Amino acid sequence: MFVTEKYEYTADKTFKVYSFISYGPKGAIHKIARFNELYGDIYNFGFGDYDMTSGEFSDTRVSNNEDMSIIMGTLGSIIYDFTKVFPNARVMIRGTNTARTRLYQMHLNRFWPQLEPLFVIYGLRNERWEFLKQGRNYDAFLGHRKIQ
């Protein structure tokens, strides 16, 4: 979908949990991206490191594997695939802190020309949802596929 580098990933049988491996100076780090149903067709998108030995998931750990653009390309592709399987889904994204939310926003802005024809995206600002506008900071994002 996007003209960007991404990792190969796999989905579980529900198509709500995806996994891939991040490669960089810190080695191979197992990553999990998952969609948790909040209510109706609204899903929270979570992402983080997965420890294969302990089975623990962390969405707050900072791995600094120097591959953030590849990871963000992978996450975008995962969301695209998820919404192909669940075309009525609305996906909410909020970072675990302000810096992570800002990182998501930077990548949304970067890929806006590819996203805008396919998705309607809202930003949460002052506790109100509005159509995403570049140049504004948001606390969270909510998007869904446009009806084709």
Side-chain angles (χ1 to χ4, degrees):
M1 178 197 79
F2 300 112
V3 182
T4 187
E5 222 178 334
K6 65 182 176 189
Y7 289 118
E8 288 189 30
Y9 53 87
T10 58
D12 73 352
K13 65 182 179 178
T14 69
F15 293 98
K16 294 179 181 174
V17 179
Y18 296 75
S19 63
F20 63 95
I21 306 294
S22 159
Y23 296 98
K26 304 256 176 111
I29 301 172
H30 193 103
K31 303 284 188 177
I32 296 289
R34 60 184 176 199
F35 297 86
N36 295 315
E37 187 175 347
L38 297 175
Y39 48 90
D41 285 330
I42 299 178
Y43 292 84
N44 182 62
F45 180 69
F47 156 74
D49 292 358
Y50 180 72
D51 186 319
M52 299 285 286
T53 306
S54 69
E56 291 182 20
F57 170 83
S58 173
D59 62 356
T60 57
R61 187 176 304 136
V62 177
S63 51
N64 285 332
N65 216 9
E66 297 180 17
D67 60 347
M68 184 52 65
S69 64
I70 302 171
I71 287 174
M72 295 306 284
T74 305
L75 297 178
S77 188
I78 287 170
I79 292 169
Y80 180 80
D81 286 351
F82 174 79
T83 59
K84 276 189 347 191
V85 175
F86 301 97
N88 296 323
R90 297 178 184 274
V91 177
M92 188 175 85
I93 300 170
R94 177 180 290 196
T96 54
N97 59 44
T98 304
R100 287 191 181 194
T101 301
R102 179 78 180 124
L103 180 66
Y104 290 134
Q105 182 163 351
M106 288 176 7
H107 281 77
L108 285 170
N109 287 334
R110 179 177 173 201
F111 291 103
W112 186 250
Q114 292 109 323
L115 292 168
E116 197 276 330
L118 302 170
F119 292 93
V120 175
I121 302 175
Y122 305 92
L124 182 64
R125 182 179 167 94
N126 299 323
E127 299 184 29
R128 300 178 78 173
W129 291 104
E130 62 179 50
F131 287 108
L132 185 71
K133 294 181 180 96
Q134 293 187 340
R136 286 194 175 175
N137 290 329
Y138 294 101
D139 298 320
F141 307 93
L142 181 69
H144 64 86
R145 277 187 177 256
K146 288 184 176 179
I147 299 171
Q148 303 293 330

